[in-house]
Amino acid sequence: MTAAATTRALREGLRDAALERLGPLDGAGFLARLERVGPDLVEALTAVYGDRTDVHALVSAVSTDALEAACTRALPLRRLDREREVDPTWFLSEDVVGYVAYADRFAGDLRGVAERLDYLGELGVRYLHLMPLLEPRAGENDGGYAVADYDAVDPRLGTMHDLESLAGAAHERGMALCVDLVLNHTAREHPWAQAALAGDPTYRAYYRFFPDRSEPDAFERTLPEVFPDMAPGSFTYLDATGEWVWTTFHEFQWDLDWSNPEVFRAMLGVLLRLANRGVDVVRLDAAPFLWKRVGTDCQNQPEAHRLLQALRAVSSLAAPALLLKAEAIVGPDQLVPYLGGHDLQRPECHLAYDNQLMVLLWSALATRDARLAAQAMGRRTAAPTGTGWVTYVRCHDDIGWAIGDEDARAVGLEPFSHRQFLAAFYSGRYPGSFASGVDFQRNPATGDARTSGTTASLAGLDVALRSGTSVEVDAALDRVVLLYSVVYAFGGIPLLYMGDEIAMRNDERWADEPEHADDNRWLHRPRMDWDAAARRSARGSVECRVFTALQRLGAARRSTESLRSDASVRVLAPDDTRVLAWVRHHPRARPVLCLAGFSDDATSVDVGLPATAGVHDPVLVHSSTERLDVHDGRIHLPPWGFSWVTSP
Ligand code: OTU
């Protein structure tokens, strides 16, 4: 049967139930969506499971799951479904700014977060990502990425009811809630894993067990190690059964076997239940790792994309308001496919992390040279229509120095030594560095090192406060704001990482908690300093300067349609190599030229540059000085300054 014929049969099969249970309007909507996404679903599941299961039965089972989920969806969420079907690019609007926080570290628990929504409102936040909040295993849990129960909230944070109330309170303010879904692995304490350990064949088939080292050895010949230092290897020996189990990350995080269609269905259930609690965006953790293939690095395999396409099809059937966000920290050519930009052009995730921009900005900051960023961002394929990036300066993870070899060579850098330089610079080892981060997971075998540290500390605030000169403090704060200016204007939902808005520095006491002691990423996961936050209204304070600057960036973005996340971006080549220049354009609005000066000194570009980007007689949108400084035929930026201009 063709995918279209299978879809027709499905539609006929579900017709009466949909109309009766959802009512004539929502029922018709469901059937219309089924008609639209059905072929994608059938093709994706056939590609993955066609040779091991009856795909027709599988598709029919998951469509029935979707109908069940649609029927139990609360009225306010069904209303959101309708609104977002009318305005499917709502999340790409110029007024969407994101904020990322651990619920406990930000506000104690979920109720505490609900009480802090006004604070987020001051920053214009319309998208709140709370770090993993489902019930983790006891003890060490990788910051919540080792889930023991997907249907319960971590009791230290509250209950499912609190999560629903928080989502409701957020929606009342036009704010969307993003929650993590850890779908590559479960905690070994999860009931599925426990049943597998006890020998239950159904659940043994949820994971990947090996009787000896032969297959693990074969895989490890091409598998990179994610945590070479704290969790070497990708397999863990089980004393209880004398077997090996696949554990890409820690030994307590067991990789699910997505080649088993039951795993797909079980995780789909988790996804749909989260959507029905009121979650708007699901962050799909470690998405590249879902499919394993011997002889490869077991990331970005075609089947991993097909699985995401299938999840997208079913979720848009059951809960059309829901967005999927890929967490794929991979190279530039592997990244765009997570947004559906591949030869198939199938809907996949709505959002993906722009880790490229993040890494390139830190590189420009260290080298005082924007050419590498321009080279790499300039050749990247655009995000497909209806999708977008989340752009960010820092997140809860380390920075992996993912500079492409080709891009480095194109601007005359030796790739390996440039990555080494960046790790050395940001750990403060490099002479003259302003940064004070630390190495994360130095790998003696490959020489690779990644970096931990907060935005402010990596941008030089600790060093500046220690040396005590106000010029250096100014420079550090200017660097923080400069990085955020790019993230607010380059294209994508800008994400503010908790504490950055008040320039919080490294948490020097990160190792005090024994279960964090071997993971220095906790250096940049501080507890919110509300005393410091209170100084955001004290003029001249560090907190006030950064907080106010971010408010202004948000306000300028909100008033500029060409800064929408789905407006096009074109990178330019200004005559000053320290300046990153790009133009944003939306067919309904005037183009905006953005400049970011990566230098301790003033920089400038030829006054003719705006015209080459379609911006004539430029007027100011926003800049670090709130002025447009044009003289002697050049547009001038102060040290670490930025400027956004448009046509009158
Ligand atoms: C993610 O990161 C989370 O962000 C981490 O905090 C978790 O420890 C990890 O998953 C395991 O759940 O390799 O170095 O391409 O880069 O999934 C962090 C995606 C990681 C990976 C990413 C992973």
Side-chain angles (χ1 to χ4, degrees):
M1 239 198 280
T2 65
T6 306
T7 302
R8 259 198 309 281
L10 273 177
R11 197 173 176 283
E12 279 318 304
L14 288 176
R15 207 185 117 85
D16 293 346
L19 292 173
E20 188 186 313
R21 299 184 59 197
L22 289 169
L25 279 182
D26 281 357
F30 181 90
L31 294 169
R33 293 198 296 278
L34 180 57
E35 188 154 342
R36 193 166 52 87
V37 303
D40 289 350
L41 178 62
V42 174
E43 282 174 28
L45 291 181
T46 305
V48 180
Y49 298 121
D51 56 3
R52 66 195 84 194
T53 197
D54 171 358
V55 171
H56 188 81
L58 179 62
V59 171
S60 144
V62 301
S63 314
T64 309
D65 293 345
L67 178 59
E68 274 317 311
C71 292
T72 50
R73 203 155 157 78
L75 198 60
L77 299 178
R78 281 157 83 164
R79 204 176 296 132
L80 267 184
D81 288 338
R82 296 238 186 134
E83 284 170 16
R84 292 177 184 170
E85 281 184 301
V86 170
D87 181 14
T89 61
W90 62 275
F91 60 103
L92 302 172
S93 161
E94 62 275 20
D95 65 355
V96 178
V97 167
Y99 192 83
V100 189
Y102 290 88
D104 57 338
R105 298 195 154 229
F106 177 56
D109 57 16
L110 295 181
R111 289 182 191 202
V113 173
E115 284 161 22
R116 295 289 185 184
L117 295 182
D118 280 342
Y119 173 79
L120 299 179
E122 288 177 44
L123 291 161
V125 171
R126 286 199 51 209
Y127 168 113
L128 174 60
H129 172 199
L130 294 176
M131 296 299 296
L133 48 72
L134 299 179
E135 186 166 354
R137 71 192 290 269
E140 214 190 316
N141 61 35
D142 187 23
Y145 287 105
V147 179
D149 184 351
Y150 290 94
D151 288 298
V153 165
D154 181 343
R156 289 164 292 198
L157 301 177
T159 62
M160 270 296 174
H161 179 73
D162 295 332
L163 182 64
E164 288 177 5
S165 312
L166 177 61
H171 293 157
E172 268 168 39
R173 292 162 184 258
M175 197 187 280
L177 186 62
C178 171
V179 164
D180 278 85
L181 178 59
V182 186
L183 75 176
N184 173 68
H185 45 271
T186 72
R188 70 163 171 239
E189 288 72 16
H190 190 286
W192 299 339
Q194 289 300 304
L197 262 185
D200 182 332
T202 302
Y203 292 103
R204 280 184 58 83
Y206 271 45
Y207 300 92
R208 293 170 171 270
F209 297 102
F210 304 93
D212 55 46
R213 282 293 311 181
S214 56
E215 278 193 79
D217 285 343
F219 276 109
E220 278 188 350
R221 274 194 276 279
T222 50
L223 269 179
E225 288 180 282
V226 180
F227 298 138
D229 191 8
M230 58 186 176
S234 297
F235 300 87
T236 299
Y237 183 70
L238 302 172
D239 284 324
T241 63
E243 293 168 297
W244 294 83
V245 64
W246 197 307
T247 54
T248 298
F249 299 93
H250 293 90
E251 25 80 47
F252 53 80
Q253 290 163 308
W254 288 14
D255 287 46
L256 286 162
D257 184 357
W258 280 79
S259 71
N260 175 358
E262 287 305 313
V263 166
F264 173 78
R265 228 182 132 190
M267 216 22 105
L268 175 67
V270 171
L271 175 71
L272 297 181
R273 288 193 293 280
L274 272 178
N276 278 359
R277 300 286 185 182
V279 169
D280 302 277
V281 185
V282 174
R283 173 190 181 276
L284 301 173
D285 181 59
F289 293 83
L290 298 186
W291 199 266
K292 326 291 189 197
R293 174 167 283 117
V294 76
T296 72
D297 63 359
C298 296
Q299 293 185 48
N300 313 309
Q301 295 299 307
E303 291 85 349
H305 288 285
R306 292 303 215 157
L307 287 166
L308 298 173
Q309 290 158 23
L311 290 176
R312 164 70 180 264
V314 191
S315 72
S316 55
L317 189 52
L322 186 74
L323 302 180
L324 303 183
K325 176 172 66 166
E327 191 254 341
I329 309 306
V330 297
D333 301 322
Q334 280 86 44
L335 196 53
V336 185
Y338 288 92
L339 294 172
H342 29 62
D343 45 4
L344 297 165
Q345 288 287 339
R346 289 265 159 58
E348 199 161 316
C349 295
H350 303 81
L351 290 166
Y353 283 86
D354 193 347
N355 72 302
Q356 278 298 305
L357 181 66
M358 183 273 292
V359 165
L360 291 161
L361 291 182
W362 288 108
S363 173
L365 205 72
T367 56
R368 282 81 161 171
D369 187 330
R371 280 176 295 182
L372 178 59
Q375 153 69 25
M377 297 312 293
R379 74 175 179 92
R380 191 168 70 184
T381 339
T385 310
T387 73
W389 303 104
V390 291
T391 53
Y392 62 112
V393 176
R394 283 299 286 119
C395 72
H396 71 290
D397 279 330
D398 53 290
I399 305 177
W401 298 108
I403 304 278
D405 289 358
E406 221 183 288
D407 291 322
R409 288 198 192 98
V411 296
L413 292 168
E414 202 289 304
F416 181 75
S417 53
H418 185 56
R419 292 190 287 263
Q420 295 277 299
F421 159 75
L422 291 170
F425 186 92
Y426 284 106
S427 72
R429 272 178 280 131
Y430 192 82
S433 165
F434 50 68
S436 49
V438 300
D439 281 343
F440 177 74
Q441 303 297 307
R442 174 168 279 285
N443 186 338
T446 60
D448 278 342
R450 287 128 73 181
T451 302
S452 289
T454 68
T455 297
S457 292
L458 296 181
L461 190 56
D462 302 72
V463 173
L465 290 172
R466 235 179 290 135
S467 75
T469 75
S470 68
V471 180
E472 283 175 34
V473 172
D474 288 349
L477 299 183
D478 289 344
R479 287 190 284 261
V480 171
V481 175
L482 174 70
L483 294 175
Y484 270 101
S485 80
V486 184
V487 156
Y488 270 63
F490 201 85
I493 302 177
L495 298 185
L496 262 164
Y497 183 65
M498 189 211 86
D500 279 3
E501 74 275 24
I502 52 167
M504 280 189 74
R505 287 177 285 138
N506 291 339
D507 179 0
E508 297 300 346
R509 307 195 55 188
W510 64 271
D512 287 1
E513 275 155 82
E515 62 271 29
H516 295 169
D518 71 349
D519 187 343
N520 69 31
R521 290 177 295 176
W522 291 95
L523 182 69
H524 53 260
R525 300 170 179 177
R527 288 201 164 67
M528 184 65 178
D529 183 345
W530 287 106
D531 292 331
R535 292 195 289 273
R536 69 188 181 279
S537 44
R539 275 188 71 124
S541 69
V542 162
E543 292 80 9
C544 179
R545 288 163 64 184
V546 177
F547 197 92
T548 317
L550 289 167
Q551 286 181 309
R552 291 191 182 132
L553 285 173
R557 188 177 192 273
R558 270 196 298 285
S559 67
T560 312
E561 201 171 6
S562 283
L563 295 181
R564 282 179 60 88
S565 294
D566 54 359
S568 69
V569 57
R570 184 158 64 86
V571 179
L572 308 174
D575 55 0
D576 186 328
T577 56
R578 301 163 302 178
V579 177
L580 183 64
W582 66 102
V583 63
R584 301 292 313 284
H585 189 249
H586 189 274
R588 250 193 330 247
R590 290 185 298 269
V592 176
L593 171 71
C594 305
L595 303 171
F598 288 87
S599 171
D600 310 82
D601 305 312
T603 54
S604 66
V605 299
D606 190 282
V607 76
L609 184 71
T612 67
V615 177
H616 301 281
D617 308 316
V619 293
L620 188 68
V621 174
H622 185 44
S623 81
S624 40
T625 56
E626 313 249 13
R627 292 185 302 114
L628 176 57
D629 185 1
V630 186
H631 60 83
D632 301 325
R634 304 194 63 84
I635 303 176
H636 297 265
L637 298 173
W640 310 111
F642 70 90
S643 190
W644 303 346
V645 297
T646 189
S647 310

